[in-house]
Amino acid sequence: MAGRILIVDDQTGGRLCLRVRLTEARYDVTAAASGAEALAALASAPADLAIVDATLGDVPAAELCRRMKADPGLRDIPVLILSDSRDRAGRIAALRAGAEDVMAKPVLDAALLARVRSLLRVRETRSETRRRDQTAAGFGFAEAPASFEDPGRIALVAADAATGDRWRDGLGGLVPDRVEMLSPDAALDEADRARAADAFVIDADLPRPGGGLSLVTDLRSRPGTRHAAILFAHRDEDAGAGAAALDLGANDLLPVHADPAEIAIRLRAQLDRKRESDRLRRTVEDGLRLAATDALTGLFNRRYALAYLDRVAREAATRGQPYAVMLADLDHFKRVNDTLGHAAGDVVLRTVATRIRDALRGADMVARLGGEEFLIVMPETDFARALPAAERLCRAVADQPVPLAQGAGAQAASVRVTVSIGVAVGGGPGSDLFETPHALIEKADRALYRAKAQGRNTVTADRPEAA
């Protein structure tokens, strides 16, 4: 299953209809008939997303959301509220309570599923942020929360001057950040600035090929704007554009004629999330560089990796979800060192480390355990997802030769290398509750040994049917 979703609706028909739509999309769906039942269900089995009907009988949806956000164990769960009403005050109240979105019923399947996918990515990012912050704290490198945040920069990219003026004038006094109007070309130039805009509000109807959707894609593809918050403004009747924008990387959607208060609330939430992610990257890149990274490859080292794996295992046990462990080992690496020299071997290790890291999801962790062996940890991953990922890693390493710099094996311009990978999965339904992460590494090691014996450049799993 792709994610665990809790439906909260006191109408049986509404629960059943939504359950069918989400189950058909391969989500793990549970349901609650009241706010109190929802809180009890979340306390026993946290969800990845809560979809709440706005007209609950026992507690308003906004109040349920407020209670969830006040609970440290539930605050990272995104909340999507479905409402029969387009009441402005109720919509803004729900957003102020912490809801990620309020969608008007009836919701088209494409729009709903795109929003679900987007919010599950939010949940994954939040979980990874907490996990890495907690691991960093164990090393004594947790960053103290900033007591003061500099104002952000918000770029408005509207289809016409009237829309841009309305957005800018409406936000005046509602946000402490600097608000600028930019053309699409100027927005793209942000990627080359020393400090790019923190957030973009992009009109769907921009007068350029592909409209606003093409600008979303361009901003996400450029290093300078890759981590910016993107809000996509579209017309209510064009739900398809909104769904496409979410799948292309937009963080949030807005009606083009949204109330300024709603735009401000959504911008504030997205800027807060961006700052949290920025702090995480600074902690990892700066505070942990010496204590937790391998000097040669820039990957995490054994000490960090084992602490991280322990945390993933505890989280998996709490949530009843699987996680995968892989051991990847370079094939015939001694031959590289013996024939081309240790300088060439260092180039190979650095290149392979980069290829593995680039082929993984952002939520996955890769570390160099020592020598030519790498550990990969993939949260919320079963064999059905882990094995194709491992095959992808093999291809990423083997498809192109490693170029060697002058002086690093000067007798060869490049060298072809491959890896063998052993895979094991822990956690999830039917798992051994007493299995330790160390035991899972041993399973992956046995699988790796078999992969070597089967000819190398291959993937083998340690599981009952493979024993």
Side-chain angles (χ1 to χ4, degrees):
M1 292 292 182
R4 179 179 294 168
I5 300 175
L6 174 67
I7 300 169
V8 189
D9 191 339
D10 55 8
Q11 299 297 313
T12 303
R15 292 197 305 274
L16 289 176
C17 180
L18 197 52
R19 181 193 283 271
V20 168
R21 295 163 75 184
L22 294 172
T23 300
E24 287 178 347
R26 306 291 293 168
Y27 292 108
D28 181 5
V29 184
T30 58
S34 67
E37 188 178 325
L39 290 173
L42 291 170
S44 61
D48 298 305
L49 169 65
I51 302 180
V52 183
D53 189 82
T55 57
L56 292 178
D58 64 333
V59 59
E63 177 59 25
L64 174 60
C65 181
R66 189 175 292 108
R67 293 181 191 178
M68 289 176 60
K69 300 303 180 180
D71 185 330
L74 306 179
R75 65 184 179 186
D76 289 339
I77 301 174
V79 177
L80 170 61
I81 294 178
L82 303 183
S83 175
D84 290 314
S85 170
R86 296 180 182 270
D87 173 57
R88 167 189 175 276
R91 182 183 181 89
I92 291 177
L95 293 170
R96 282 181 174 152
E100 275 64 26
D101 201 1
V102 181
M103 298 184 76
K105 295 189 290 186
V107 184
L108 297 176
D109 280 358
L112 174 66
L113 293 177
R115 200 51 166 141
V116 166
R117 289 190 294 270
S118 172
L119 292 177
L120 288 174
R121 289 194 296 272
V122 169
R123 168 63 166 170
E124 182 177 342
T125 300
R126 289 177 182 171
S127 295
E128 181 64 8
T129 298
R130 301 289 181 207
R131 195 181 300 123
R132 294 197 179 187
D133 276 348
Q134 291 162 2
T135 304
F139 284 82
F141 286 103
E143 182 179 2
S147 58
F148 174 78
E149 293 281 3
D150 290 332
R153 287 184 57 232
I154 298 170
L156 307 178
V157 191
D160 54 78
T163 299
D165 288 340
R166 178 168 50 80
W167 286 347
R168 182 186 56 194
D169 295 343
L171 289 173
L174 295 180
V175 295
D177 311 285
R178 178 180 172 185
V179 180
E180 307 172 21
M181 290 177 58
L182 297 180
S183 68
D185 287 343
L188 289 177
D189 290 340
E190 287 290 306
D192 298 322
R193 293 186 57 164
R195 181 187 171 184
D198 299 289
F200 293 85
V201 180
I202 298 175
D203 196 324
D205 296 329
L206 293 180
R208 69 193 305 259
L213 288 174
S214 65
L215 183 58
V216 172
T217 303
D218 287 339
L219 291 174
R220 277 288 174 254
S221 68
R222 301 186 179 208
T225 51
R226 182 169 298 154
H227 302 296
I230 297 179
L231 287 76
F232 187 77
H234 67 103
R235 282 157 181 76
D236 289 339
E237 63 271 18
D238 193 5
L246 290 172
D247 284 336
L248 289 172
N251 301 95
D252 204 355
L253 302 179
L254 281 171
V256 167
H257 298 289
D259 187 283
E262 177 177 342
I263 300 176
I265 292 169
R266 291 182 181 274
L267 279 168
R268 184 83 271 127
Q270 294 301 328
L271 286 169
D272 286 346
R273 289 173 198 155
K274 179 182 183 296
R275 285 174 175 141
E276 185 176 25
S277 296
D278 289 346
R279 282 195 294 270
L280 170 63
R281 282 192 297 275
R282 286 196 300 270
T283 298
V284 173
E285 293 170 2
D286 298 331
L288 290 176
R289 182 174 288 116
L290 295 178
T293 58
D294 173 63
L296 176 64
T297 63
L299 299 179
F300 292 115
N301 60 21
R302 173 188 289 270
R303 181 186 176 207
Y304 178 92
L306 297 181
Y308 179 89
L309 176 56
D310 282 342
R311 192 166 299 281
V312 169
R314 289 197 298 271
E315 184 177 299
T318 299
R319 301 178 65 191
Q321 293 185 330
Y323 66 101
V325 170
M326 301 181 192
L327 284 179
D329 191 85
L330 274 164
D331 299 324
H332 302 300
F333 183 65
K334 185 176 183 298
R335 185 183 303 166
V336 173
N337 279 332
D338 290 347
T339 59
L340 300 178
H342 288 278
D346 289 349
V347 172
V348 167
L349 285 171
R350 285 194 294 268
T351 303
V352 169
T354 299
R355 291 178 181 179
I356 292 175
R357 181 175 55 206
D358 290 349
L360 292 169
R361 306 171 304 181
D364 303 328
M365 191 280 306
V366 56
R368 182 187 179 201
L369 288 187
E372 64 270 28
E373 190 170 51
F374 302 90
L375 171 69
I376 297 106
V377 180
M378 303 182 71
E380 300 179 21
T381 302
D382 56 14
F383 279 114
R385 298 175 69 185
L387 292 175
E391 297 283 1
R392 186 172 66 249
L393 295 183
C394 282
R395 291 193 298 271
V397 173
D399 279 354
Q400 297 293 329
V402 175
L404 300 177
Q406 188 70 26
Q411 65 269 44
S414 64
V415 59
R416 286 195 174 273
V417 294
T418 61
V419 293
S420 299
I421 300 177
V423 181
V425 169
S431 63
D432 182 354
L433 298 178
F434 300 100
E435 183 175 54
T436 65
H438 180 74
L440 206 61
I441 290 177
E442 290 182 345
K443 284 187 175 182
D445 194 43
R446 290 196 297 268
L448 174 61
Y449 180 83
R450 291 200 300 273
K452 294 283 189 181
Q454 291 175 10
R456 296 177 170 82
N457 192 26
T458 190
V459 174
T460 303
D462 187 290
R463 55 180 176 176
E465 59 267 37

